[in-house]
Amino acid sequence: MKKALLVLALGAALVGVAQADTLKKIKDTGSVTMGVRESSGALSYTLGDGKYVGYHVEICQRVLADVQKQLGLAKLDIKYLPVTSQNRVPLVQNGTVDIECGSTTNNATRGKDVAFAVTTYVEEVRIAVKANSGITSIGQLNGKTVATTTGTTSVQLLRKHERANGVDFKEVLGKDHADSFLLLESGRADAFVMDGQILAGNIAKSRNPADFKIVGEVLSVEPIAIMIRKDDPTFKKAVDDSIKAMMKSGEIAKLYDKWFIQPIPPTNTKVGLPATEATKNAWANPNDKPVEEYAKK
C-alpha cells in the first residue's frame, strides 16, 4: 500500500514538473490553451461561434506570437477555453489552461496558487448616476438609493470609504450587472456602484448613453493581470518580456484605445473609458504587485 502511494506521489510530482515547464509543453505539442471569459467587458468576451476578443485576449495573442517566434515554431495552434470566476485558478493550476486572459485581480490569496504577469489594467470602483442628477460625490448619496449587484463587495467598499462617514443610503440589489443598471435607468436607484469598466459598458449599451455619467471618488483600485502557472519562471519571463515590450513601444496604449475608446464589435458601440492614471502608471512602471500593495498607497 505504501509503495502504491509512493508511486502515485511520484507521478503527481512528475506531472507538476512537466506542467511547470510551459514553454517545453508548447514546443512539444505545437499548441497552447488560452483561458478566456465570455462577458468580462472589453477585457475578454465572446462574439459567439467560439470566437473571443478583447483587450486582454489580443495582448495574449501577441504574447503567444512572441513565444512562437522564441520557440522557432512554424505554426502555433491556440485553443480558446472559456473559464469562470470559480474555475479559472484550478484550471491554470492543473495545466488545463496555459495562460488565462480574462479579468482576474492579482491578489495575495491567488498568488499562493498561481502567478501573474505584470499588470496590464487597473480597475477602479466608481459610481454611475443620471447625468442630470446633480450627484458628483459620495457625500451627496445621503438619503439616496444605491444599487449594486448581488455577490459583489461594492457597497461594502462604499460604506467603508472615509468620505461616506455619516452618509445614510438605502441599498437595493440587482441579480446581475444588467439588472443593477436597470434599477438606475428606471429611477428605482439614484446610483449604481461597481467596477468602472462594467459601469461604462452598461452605459455604452443603454438607449441613451448621454443620460448617464460616472462620478465620485475612487472606492477601490485593483490590478488586473494575465494569469499563468506558479513556479514557472521561464514562461513568466517570456510573457512579461513580451508585455513590457508592448508597454515600451506604446503598442499597449494603442490596444487600450482600440478596445475602450473606439467602437467595438458586435454592435460597434464605444465603452468610452479613458485609461486611468493608475493604468498609465502600471504601463510606465511594469510590476506584478498584488492588490494589497496597491491598497497601501
mmCIF file of all heavy atoms in Angstrom, residues 94-129:
data_model
loop_
_atom_site.group_PDB
_atom_site.id
_atom_site.type_symbol
_atom_site.label_atom_id
_atom_site.label_comp_id
_atom_site.label_asym_id
_atom_site.label_seq_id
_atom_site.Cartn_x
_atom_site.Cartn_y
_atom_site.Cartn_z
ATOM 1 N N ASN A 94 -3.940 23.080 -12.705
ATOM 2 C CA ASN A 94 -3.833 21.677 -13.128
ATOM 3 C C ASN A 94 -3.342 21.504 -14.564
ATOM 4 O O ASN A 94 -3.259 20.383 -15.063
ATOM 5 C CB ASN A 94 -5.167 20.939 -12.928
ATOM 6 C CG ASN A 94 -6.280 21.423 -13.850
ATOM 7 O OD1 ASN A 94 -6.045 22.019 -14.896
ATOM 8 N ND2 ASN A 94 -7.522 21.153 -13.454
ATOM 9 N N GLY A 95 -3.005 22.617 -15.229
ATOM 10 C CA GLY A 95 -2.417 22.508 -16.561
ATOM 11 C C GLY A 95 -3.397 22.511 -17.710
ATOM 12 O O GLY A 95 -2.985 22.449 -18.865
ATOM 13 N N THR A 96 -4.696 22.604 -17.412
ATOM 14 C CA THR A 96 -5.686 22.643 -18.490
ATOM 15 C C THR A 96 -5.548 23.938 -19.286
ATOM 16 O O THR A 96 -5.657 23.945 -20.511
ATOM 17 C CB THR A 96 -7.117 22.528 -17.920
ATOM 18 O OG1 THR A 96 -7.220 21.318 -17.169
ATOM 19 C CG2 THR A 96 -8.163 22.522 -19.030
ATOM 20 N N VAL A 97 -5.316 25.039 -18.580
ATOM 21 C CA VAL A 97 -5.127 26.352 -19.198
ATOM 22 C C VAL A 97 -3.679 26.780 -19.016
ATOM 23 O O VAL A 97 -3.136 26.696 -17.914
ATOM 24 C CB VAL A 97 -6.077 27.388 -18.551
ATOM 25 C CG1 VAL A 97 -5.691 28.812 -18.955
ATOM 26 C CG2 VAL A 97 -7.524 27.105 -18.945
ATOM 27 N N ASP A 98 -3.047 27.224 -20.088
ATOM 28 C CA ASP A 98 -1.646 27.652 -20.028
ATOM 29 C C ASP A 98 -1.503 29.129 -19.705
ATOM 30 O O ASP A 98 -0.542 29.537 -19.052
ATOM 31 C CB ASP A 98 -0.953 27.366 -21.367
ATOM 32 C CG ASP A 98 -0.938 25.886 -21.702
ATOM 33 O OD1 ASP A 98 -0.487 25.097 -20.854
ATOM 34 O OD2 ASP A 98 -1.405 25.515 -22.799
ATOM 35 N N ILE A 99 -2.453 29.923 -20.167
ATOM 36 C CA ILE A 99 -2.399 31.364 -19.934
ATOM 37 C C ILE A 99 -3.831 31.882 -19.874
ATOM 38 O O ILE A 99 -4.626 31.621 -20.774
ATOM 39 C CB ILE A 99 -1.570 32.060 -21.040
ATOM 40 C CG1 ILE A 99 -1.418 33.554 -20.775
ATOM 41 C CG2 ILE A 99 -2.127 31.775 -22.434
ATOM 42 C CD1 ILE A 99 -0.361 34.236 -21.651
ATOM 43 N N GLU A 100 -4.175 32.555 -18.785
ATOM 44 C CA GLU A 100 -5.564 32.991 -18.579
ATOM 45 C C GLU A 100 -5.663 34.489 -18.859
ATOM 46 O O GLU A 100 -4.988 35.297 -18.237
ATOM 47 C CB GLU A 100 -6.014 32.685 -17.148
ATOM 48 C CG GLU A 100 -7.514 32.844 -16.924
ATOM 49 C CD GLU A 100 -7.917 34.197 -16.362
ATOM 50 O OE1 GLU A 100 -7.026 34.952 -15.922
ATOM 51 O OE2 GLU A 100 -9.123 34.516 -16.386
ATOM 52 N N CYS A 101 -6.516 34.837 -19.823
ATOM 53 C CA CYS A 101 -6.571 36.197 -20.352
ATOM 54 C C CYS A 101 -7.962 36.773 -20.178
ATOM 55 O O CYS A 101 -8.677 37.018 -21.156
ATOM 56 C CB CYS A 101 -6.164 36.196 -21.821
ATOM 57 S SG CYS A 101 -4.635 35.259 -22.090
ATOM 58 N N GLY A 102 -8.358 36.947 -18.921
ATOM 59 C CA GLY A 102 -9.700 37.437 -18.639
ATOM 60 C C GLY A 102 -9.701 38.737 -17.877
ATOM 61 O O GLY A 102 -9.234 39.762 -18.370
ATOM 62 N N SER A 103 -10.206 38.684 -16.638
ATOM 63 C CA SER A 103 -10.333 39.900 -15.818
ATOM 64 C C SER A 103 -10.019 39.575 -14.366
ATOM 65 O O SER A 103 -10.786 39.888 -13.469
ATOM 66 C CB SER A 103 -11.751 40.462 -15.944
ATOM 67 O OG SER A 103 -12.711 39.452 -15.611
ATOM 68 N N THR A 104 -8.874 38.928 -14.142
ATOM 69 C CA THR A 104 -8.542 38.430 -12.810
ATOM 70 C C THR A 104 -7.713 39.428 -12.009
ATOM 71 O O THR A 104 -6.680 39.897 -12.474
ATOM 72 C CB THR A 104 -7.778 37.097 -12.911
ATOM 73 O OG1 THR A 104 -8.549 36.180 -13.696
ATOM 74 C CG2 THR A 104 -7.543 36.493 -11.539
ATOM 75 N N THR A 105 -8.184 39.724 -10.802
ATOM 76 C CA THR A 105 -7.442 40.600 -9.904
ATOM 77 C C THR A 105 -6.259 39.849 -9.314
ATOM 78 O O THR A 105 -6.400 38.721 -8.828
ATOM 79 C CB THR A 105 -8.346 41.103 -8.756
ATOM 80 O OG1 THR A 105 -9.408 41.875 -9.304
ATOM 81 C CG2 THR A 105 -7.568 41.961 -7.776
ATOM 82 N N ASN A 106 -5.107 40.460 -9.345
ATOM 83 C CA ASN A 106 -3.902 39.896 -8.736
ATOM 84 C C ASN A 106 -3.963 40.174 -7.240
ATOM 85 O O ASN A 106 -3.813 41.312 -6.808
ATOM 86 C CB ASN A 106 -2.667 40.555 -9.371
ATOM 87 C CG ASN A 106 -1.361 40.087 -8.732
ATOM 88 O OD1 ASN A 106 -1.345 39.327 -7.776
ATOM 89 N ND2 ASN A 106 -0.254 40.577 -9.266
ATOM 90 N N ASN A 107 -4.219 39.133 -6.452
ATOM 91 C CA ASN A 107 -4.206 39.317 -5.002
ATOM 92 C C ASN A 107 -3.347 38.258 -4.327
ATOM 93 O O ASN A 107 -2.956 37.261 -4.933
ATOM 94 C CB ASN A 107 -5.627 39.353 -4.423
ATOM 95 C CG ASN A 107 -6.393 38.054 -4.591
ATOM 96 O OD1 ASN A 107 -5.839 36.968 -4.544
ATOM 97 N ND2 ASN A 107 -7.707 38.158 -4.788
ATOM 98 N N ALA A 108 -3.033 38.488 -3.062
ATOM 99 C CA ALA A 108 -2.104 37.626 -2.332
ATOM 100 C C ALA A 108 -2.627 36.205 -2.182
ATOM 101 O O ALA A 108 -1.852 35.242 -2.231
ATOM 102 C CB ALA A 108 -1.810 38.225 -0.959
ATOM 103 N N THR A 109 -3.924 36.053 -2.002
ATOM 104 C CA THR A 109 -4.510 34.711 -1.846
ATOM 105 C C THR A 109 -4.309 33.889 -3.107
ATOM 106 O O THR A 109 -3.848 32.742 -3.049
ATOM 107 C CB THR A 109 -6.016 34.819 -1.525
ATOM 108 O OG1 THR A 109 -6.180 35.547 -0.302
ATOM 109 C CG2 THR A 109 -6.624 33.435 -1.361
ATOM 110 N N ARG A 110 -4.630 34.462 -4.260
ATOM 111 C CA ARG A 110 -4.435 33.749 -5.523
ATOM 112 C C ARG A 110 -2.948 33.522 -5.789
ATOM 113 O O ARG A 110 -2.566 32.538 -6.412
ATOM 114 C CB ARG A 110 -5.066 34.531 -6.677
ATOM 115 C CG ARG A 110 -6.585 34.535 -6.627
ATOM 116 C CD ARG A 110 -7.192 35.378 -7.720
ATOM 117 N NE ARG A 110 -8.652 35.385 -7.625
ATOM 118 C CZ ARG A 110 -9.412 36.432 -7.855
ATOM 119 N NH1 ARG A 110 -8.857 37.582 -8.214
ATOM 120 N NH2 ARG A 110 -10.717 36.358 -7.728
ATOM 121 N N GLY A 111 -2.121 34.453 -5.313
ATOM 122 C CA GLY A 111 -0.683 34.355 -5.524
ATOM 123 C C GLY A 111 -0.051 33.138 -4.869
ATOM 124 O O GLY A 111 1.079 32.763 -5.200
ATOM 125 N N LYS A 112 -0.784 32.496 -3.953
ATOM 126 C CA LYS A 112 -0.291 31.259 -3.339
ATOM 127 C C LYS A 112 -0.432 30.075 -4.289
ATOM 128 O O LYS A 112 0.267 29.072 -4.155
ATOM 129 C CB LYS A 112 -1.071 30.964 -2.051
ATOM 130 C CG LYS A 112 -0.868 31.996 -0.948
ATOM 131 C CD LYS A 112 -1.769 31.704 0.243
ATOM 132 C CE LYS A 112 -1.633 32.773 1.313
ATOM 133 N NZ LYS A 112 -2.568 32.533 2.454
ATOM 134 N N ASP A 113 -1.339 30.202 -5.259
ATOM 135 C CA ASP A 113 -1.651 29.081 -6.162
ATOM 136 C C ASP A 113 -1.211 29.296 -7.604
ATOM 137 O O ASP A 113 -0.965 28.334 -8.332
ATOM 138 C CB ASP A 113 -3.160 28.817 -6.150
ATOM 139 C CG ASP A 113 -3.678 28.462 -4.777
ATOM 140 O OD1 ASP A 113 -3.003 27.687 -4.069
ATOM 141 O OD2 ASP A 113 -4.758 28.972 -4.394
ATOM 142 N N VAL A 114 -1.141 30.554 -8.029
ATOM 143 C CA VAL A 114 -0.795 30.866 -9.418
ATOM 144 C C VAL A 114 0.153 32.059 -9.449
ATOM 145 O O VAL A 114 0.426 32.668 -8.413
ATOM 146 C CB VAL A 114 -2.062 31.207 -10.253
ATOM 147 C CG1 VAL A 114 -2.979 29.999 -10.377
ATOM 148 C CG2 VAL A 114 -2.789 32.392 -9.639
ATOM 149 N N ALA A 115 0.633 32.392 -10.635
ATOM 150 C CA ALA A 115 1.477 33.577 -10.810
ATOM 151 C C ALA A 115 0.759 34.559 -11.731
ATOM 152 O O ALA A 115 -0.151 34.184 -12.478
ATOM 153 C CB ALA A 115 2.824 33.183 -11.404
ATOM 154 N N PHE A 116 1.163 35.804 -11.664
ATOM 155 C CA PHE A 116 0.580 36.833 -12.512
ATOM 156 C C PHE A 116 1.666 37.534 -13.309
ATOM 157 O O PHE A 116 2.770 37.766 -12.809
ATOM 158 C CB PHE A 116 -0.165 37.877 -11.671
ATOM 159 C CG PHE A 116 -1.454 37.372 -11.090
ATOM 160 C CD1 PHE A 116 -1.486 36.779 -9.841
ATOM 161 C CD2 PHE A 116 -2.645 37.487 -11.801
ATOM 162 C CE1 PHE A 116 -2.671 36.302 -9.301
ATOM 163 C CE2 PHE A 116 -3.839 37.019 -11.273
ATOM 164 C CZ PHE A 116 -3.851 36.428 -10.021
ATOM 165 N N ALA A 117 1.338 37.871 -14.540
ATOM 166 C CA ALA A 117 2.237 38.685 -15.345
ATOM 167 C C ALA A 117 2.160 40.120 -14.822
ATOM 168 O O ALA A 117 1.391 40.417 -13.902
ATOM 169 C CB ALA A 117 1.812 38.621 -16.809
ATOM 170 N N VAL A 118 2.936 41.013 -15.405
ATOM 171 C CA VAL A 118 2.881 42.411 -14.993
ATOM 172 C C VAL A 118 1.474 42.963 -15.264
ATOM 173 O O VAL A 118 0.799 42.552 -16.206
ATOM 174 C CB VAL A 118 3.942 43.261 -15.724
ATOM 175 C CG1 VAL A 118 5.339 42.866 -15.273
ATOM 176 C CG2 VAL A 118 3.818 43.129 -17.242
ATOM 177 N N THR A 119 1.050 43.875 -14.420
ATOM 178 C CA THR A 119 -0.298 44.446 -14.504
ATOM 179 C C THR A 119 -0.508 45.172 -15.830
ATOM 180 O O THR A 119 0.314 45.999 -16.239
ATOM 181 C CB THR A 119 -0.525 45.423 -13.342
ATOM 182 O OG1 THR A 119 -0.431 44.707 -12.107
ATOM 183 C CG2 THR A 119 -1.888 46.092 -13.435
ATOM 184 N N THR A 120 -1.615 44.864 -16.485
ATOM 185 C CA THR A 120 -1.932 45.495 -17.764
ATOM 186 C C THR A 120 -3.175 46.390 -17.701
ATOM 187 O O THR A 120 -3.453 47.146 -18.626
ATOM 188 C CB THR A 120 -2.148 44.414 -18.838
ATOM 189 O OG1 THR A 120 -2.854 43.302 -18.257
ATOM 190 C CG2 THR A 120 -0.824 43.908 -19.383
ATOM 191 N N TYR A 121 -3.923 46.290 -16.603
ATOM 192 C CA TYR A 121 -5.149 47.092 -16.459
ATOM 193 C C TYR A 121 -5.404 47.291 -14.965
ATOM 194 O O TYR A 121 -5.282 46.341 -14.189
ATOM 195 C CB TYR A 121 -6.333 46.370 -17.106
ATOM 196 C CG TYR A 121 -7.652 47.097 -16.998
ATOM 197 C CD1 TYR A 121 -7.977 48.105 -17.911
ATOM 198 C CD2 TYR A 121 -8.567 46.795 -16.003
ATOM 199 C CE1 TYR A 121 -9.189 48.776 -17.823
ATOM 200 C CE2 TYR A 121 -9.782 47.464 -15.911
ATOM 201 C CZ TYR A 121 -10.091 48.452 -16.815
ATOM 202 O OH TYR A 121 -11.277 49.125 -16.726
ATOM 203 N N VAL A 122 -5.717 48.516 -14.582
ATOM 204 C CA VAL A 122 -6.033 48.778 -13.183
ATOM 205 C C VAL A 122 -7.479 49.230 -13.095
ATOM 206 O O VAL A 122 -7.871 50.251 -13.672
ATOM 207 C CB VAL A 122 -5.100 49.847 -12.572
ATOM 208 C CG1 VAL A 122 -5.454 50.076 -11.097
ATOM 209 C CG2 VAL A 122 -3.638 49.408 -12.688
ATOM 210 N N GLU A 123 -8.268 48.424 -12.394
ATOM 211 C CA GLU A 123 -9.697 48.688 -12.261
ATOM 212 C C GLU A 123 -9.955 49.668 -11.121
ATOM 213 O O GLU A 123 -9.250 49.661 -10.108
ATOM 214 C CB GLU A 123 -10.446 47.372 -11.994
ATOM 215 C CG GLU A 123 -11.953 47.498 -11.921
ATOM 216 C CD GLU A 123 -12.564 48.004 -13.212
ATOM 217 O OE1 GLU A 123 -12.636 49.236 -13.391
ATOM 218 O OE2 GLU A 123 -12.978 47.181 -14.035
ATOM 219 N N GLU A 124 -10.956 50.520 -11.288
ATOM 220 C CA GLU A 124 -11.366 51.429 -10.233
ATOM 221 C C GLU A 124 -12.869 51.284 -10.008
ATOM 222 O O GLU A 124 -13.651 51.337 -10.955
ATOM 223 C CB GLU A 124 -11.047 52.877 -10.608
ATOM 224 C CG GLU A 124 -9.547 53.162 -10.705
ATOM 225 C CD GLU A 124 -9.252 54.626 -10.991
ATOM 226 O OE1 GLU A 124 -10.181 55.351 -11.408
ATOM 227 O OE2 GLU A 124 -8.102 55.045 -10.796
ATOM 228 N N VAL A 125 -13.258 51.077 -8.752
ATOM 229 C CA VAL A 125 -14.673 51.002 -8.406
ATOM 230 C C VAL A 125 -15.194 52.433 -8.257
ATOM 231 O O VAL A 125 -14.635 53.236 -7.506
ATOM 232 C CB VAL A 125 -14.887 50.210 -7.101
ATOM 233 C CG1 VAL A 125 -16.370 50.214 -6.707
ATOM 234 C CG2 VAL A 125 -14.403 48.774 -7.271
ATOM 235 N N ARG A 126 -16.263 52.750 -9.005
ATOM 236 C CA ARG A 126 -16.800 54.120 -9.051
ATOM 237 C C ARG A 126 -18.327 54.081 -8.912
ATOM 238 O O ARG A 126 -18.916 53.055 -8.609
ATOM 239 C CB ARG A 126 -16.410 54.780 -10.386
ATOM 240 C CG ARG A 126 -14.920 54.890 -10.650
ATOM 241 C CD ARG A 126 -14.260 56.000 -9.864
ATOM 242 N NE ARG A 126 -14.802 57.312 -10.190
ATOM 243 C CZ ARG A 126 -14.472 58.030 -11.277
ATOM 244 N NH1 ARG A 126 -13.605 57.548 -12.145
ATOM 245 N NH2 ARG A 126 -14.994 59.235 -11.484
ATOM 246 N N ILE A 127 -18.950 55.223 -9.190
ATOM 247 C CA ILE A 127 -20.400 55.369 -9.071
ATOM 248 C C ILE A 127 -20.954 55.900 -10.398
ATOM 249 O O ILE A 127 -20.417 56.868 -10.953
ATOM 250 C CB ILE A 127 -20.774 56.359 -7.953
ATOM 251 C CG1 ILE A 127 -20.199 55.908 -6.610
ATOM 252 C CG2 ILE A 127 -22.293 56.522 -7.842
ATOM 253 C CD1 ILE A 127 -20.229 56.995 -5.557
ATOM 254 N N ALA A 128 -22.018 55.271 -10.900
ATOM 255 C CA ALA A 128 -22.723 55.780 -12.082
ATOM 256 C C ALA A 128 -24.030 56.424 -11.627
ATOM 257 O O ALA A 128 -24.723 55.898 -10.742
ATOM 258 C CB ALA A 128 -23.006 54.656 -13.065
ATOM 259 N N VAL A 129 -24.352 57.560 -12.216
ATOM 260 C CA VAL A 129 -25.590 58.277 -11.887
ATOM 261 C C VAL A 129 -26.203 58.807 -13.179
ATOM 262 O O VAL A 129 -25.573 58.794 -14.233
ATOM 263 C CB VAL A 129 -25.328 59.455 -10.926
ATOM 264 C CG1 VAL A 129 -24.798 58.964 -9.585
ATOM 265 C CG2 VAL A 129 -24.367 60.471 -11.548
#
